Amino acid sequence: MLEISSSANIGINEYLKKAIVLSELLTLVCGNQVNFHRQLYYSEDGKNLEVWRKRVDYNFGIDSIVDPIRISEFLNQTIHNYENLTTNEKNTINRAVDYLNSSAHGYIEDRLFRVMLAWELTAHEYCSDSDLDKELIQLKKQLQGTVKNWTKEFPERNKNGFITTRVVGSLEWEKLINKLIKLAESESLHLEKIGIDFRMLKELRDNVAHTGKFNDKHDSVKLFGLLDKAILWLRILFLRKVGYTGEIQIPNNNFLVGKGIMEFIIK
């Protein structure tokens, strides 16, 4: 049960907004979408109001990353920071967290796909486009020239630059990988400890997007290891975004063990 009190004379909507903020923050760390349907309001003159209103998008998911005994510490550290995020930041984080929390079940292809979408959403929100390296810039120019000459001969096949976009746009995957690395570095996450193969994650995501499955045979242990790391480190990144500096829980030999979040940060 969540109890909120205020000495100020505020309306019901302000209490509701605060409860939603708290539920969104708890969703970030608990691995399940924290929700509420019943609201009880009490006034000093003894009057009370009971409201039943079901909220949508209730998902079950991964284990909590913060021990329940530390939830008060977590909320005290993060609530004001979270409230000060922009609307776009909140929407991005909440949508990405929904992807992460729903990745606990289902086929490994679908789970990795959703986790990669969460990384992409976050990278696009927080990182500007990165430039290609000089070798790929040279390749891009050559491809553009080749397609341009080909279009002169077959103009009907490249209406509105469709072929040009498809051919040259194939290099955009490198920009995304650079953005993912930049995203991790933006919160001083220890890239050596992360050990996520962003290139492999992107290739797997594309396989699922185009065919619904992985094109090649992959070692299942490696795939599940990649999934676990991708989930854990994005959650750590979100905790950094809301200013949490306490202890988190991480899997170790099928048990959750406590680690200070700063152990994962480059000092």
Side-chain angles (χ1 to χ4, degrees):
M1 183 179 73
L2 169 67
E3 182 176 325
I4 304 174
S5 61
S6 174
S7 58
N9 185 20
I10 62 176
I12 288 178
N13 284 339
E14 294 304 313
Y15 284 103
L16 182 58
K17 287 179 182 177
K18 187 68 69 173
I20 290 173
V21 165
L22 290 168
S23 68
E24 289 174 349
L25 279 168
L26 290 171
T27 297
L28 194 159
V29 296
C30 290
N32 291 295
Q33 183 160 346
V34 176
N35 223 322
F36 57 90
H37 306 313
R38 185 188 184 200
Q39 305 160 45
L40 294 170
Y41 297 95
Y42 300 93
S43 61
E44 291 183 350
D45 58 7
K47 296 180 180 179
N48 63 74
L49 172 67
E50 181 173 344
V51 177
W52 283 86
R53 184 165 59 177
K54 185 175 182 180
R55 299 185 69 213
V56 297
D57 295 330
Y58 191 87
N59 297 309
F60 293 96
I62 48 186
D63 290 323
S64 175
I65 195 171
V66 173
D67 192 302
I69 65 174
R70 298 184 183 276
I71 290 298
S72 293
E73 173 193 352
F74 165 74
L75 291 175
N76 284 331
Q77 280 192 13
T78 61
I79 184 168
H80 295 303
N81 298 325
Y82 181 80
E83 288 177 322
N84 288 331
L85 295 177
T86 67
T87 299
N88 283 343
E89 286 181 292
K90 290 178 186 176
N91 289 341
T92 296
I93 290 175
N94 290 331
R95 189 175 175 190
V97 167
D98 279 344
Y99 279 131
L100 293 182
N101 287 353
S102 65
S103 67
H105 307 288
Y107 293 108
I108 183 65
E109 291 92 342
D110 185 42
R111 295 167 69 186
L112 276 166
F113 181 77
R114 278 177 276 169
V115 171
M116 182 57 185
L117 287 181
W119 273 97
E120 287 185 68
L121 277 171
T122 311
H124 291 319
E125 173 62 30
Y126 284 104
C127 300
S128 57
D129 284 335
S130 301
D131 292 330
L132 296 171
D133 59 42
K134 61 181 181 180
E135 290 84 1
L136 290 177
I137 290 175
Q138 181 180 349
L139 175 60
K140 183 176 181 178
K141 291 179 179 178
Q142 292 176 353
L143 289 172
Q144 288 172 326
T146 299
V147 174
K148 184 177 181 180
N149 292 331
W150 177 84
T151 302
K152 292 178 181 177
E153 188 174 355
F154 306 102
E156 292 299 314
R157 301 294 298 274
N158 195 20
K159 288 184 177 180
N160 300 317
F162 177 77
I163 298 295
T164 304
T165 301
R166 298 288 289 179
V167 173
V168 178
S170 63
L171 298 177
E172 293 299 311
W173 57 269
E174 190 69 27
K175 285 187 177 182
L176 176 59
I177 292 170
N178 290 339
K179 286 179 74 169
L180 294 174
I181 295 173
K182 184 189 294 186
L183 174 64
E185 291 176 340
S186 71
E187 288 298 334
S188 301
L189 299 190
H190 203 307
L191 288 173
E192 291 184 3
K193 284 187 177 181
I194 289 179
I196 299 175
D197 188 338
F198 286 121
R199 193 175 302 278
M200 180 180 179
L201 193 60
K202 175 67 167 62
E203 290 175 356
L204 293 172
R205 171 244 187 271
D206 290 345
N207 288 169
V208 177
H210 296 306
T211 67
K213 60 181 181 180
F214 299 143
N215 289 341
D216 303 311
K217 292 183 178 180
H218 297 280
D219 178 74
S220 60
V221 174
K222 188 174 183 179
L223 288 175
F224 282 106
L226 178 63
L227 176 68
D228 291 341
K229 288 180 180 179
I231 293 173
L232 171 64
W233 281 94
L234 189 54
R235 297 178 87 189
I236 291 175
L237 187 143
F238 288 149
L239 291 179
R240 291 282 292 164
K241 290 293 184 188
V242 297
Y244 183 61
T245 60
E247 186 176 285
I248 63 173
Q249 301 182 123
I250 64 171
N252 184 27
N253 295 325
N254 295 323
F255 290 95
L256 291 175
V257 297
K259 294 279 186 180
I261 193 172
M262 299 310 293
E263 292 185 32
F264 301 89
I265 307 304
I266 298 175
K267 300 176 182 178

